[in-house]
Amino acid sequence: MIFIGTETIYFHSQTDFRHPFLNKTIVFTGALATMTRRAAAKLAIDCGAVIHGAVTEHTDFVVLGDKRRGISTKQQRAEKLIHDGAAIQLLVEDDFLWILSMQKGMQ
């Protein structure tokens, strides 16, 4: 638990405070090939990420599932925001998994 001003932020006991997903907002779109989105979200939360269901200008990463049918509304929104200057990164599932694996190497 960390206190920031009057706000209390709770982290999973295994949170790595050096992980690239720490305090980053992640949105998933499309079905993932290797796990459910719920399982992927749990792994990201364990790294300190915040999971949202919608893409906004505050989104840091949009994870694009391998089983998409064309471009999703979330991906379209992210691409528009990127075009307008938002610092959103689109990640394919393999890149998401690679970043998740950094947790093991950083301990």
Side-chain angles (χ1 to χ4, degrees):
M1 176 172 38
I2 297 175
F3 297 99
I4 300 176
T6 59
E7 184 176 352
T8 305
I9 300 174
Y10 294 90
F11 290 98
H12 186 277
S13 61
Q14 298 298 316
T15 299
D16 181 342
F17 292 100
R18 299 166 293 174
H19 197 279
F21 285 151
L22 181 66
N23 294 326
K24 301 298 182 185
T25 301
I26 299 176
V27 175
F28 292 92
T29 185
L32 302 174
T34 60
M35 66 185 81
T36 65
R37 284 168 36 173
R38 178 175 280 209
K42 183 185 179 318
L43 291 171
I45 289 168
D46 288 349
C47 295
V50 177
I51 306 302
H52 280 202
V55 176
T56 71
E57 62 275 1
H58 302 292
T59 301
D60 296 296
F61 297 98
V62 176
V63 179
L64 308 172
D66 288 340
K67 298 182 178 180
R68 290 173 287 129
R69 293 183 184 157
I71 297 176
S72 70
T73 304
K74 290 178 185 176
Q75 183 178 350
Q76 289 174 356
R77 172 88 172 130
E79 289 175 353
K80 180 188 180 312
L81 288 168
I82 291 167
H83 181 268
D84 292 343
I88 298 172
Q89 295 184 45
L90 300 177
L91 298 176
V92 294
E93 184 175 355
D94 287 343
D95 292 340
F96 170 74
L97 295 173
W98 179 77
I99 294 172
L100 276 178
S101 73
M102 290 180 177
Q103 182 178 24
K104 296 179 183 108
M106 296 174 75
Q107 293 179 347

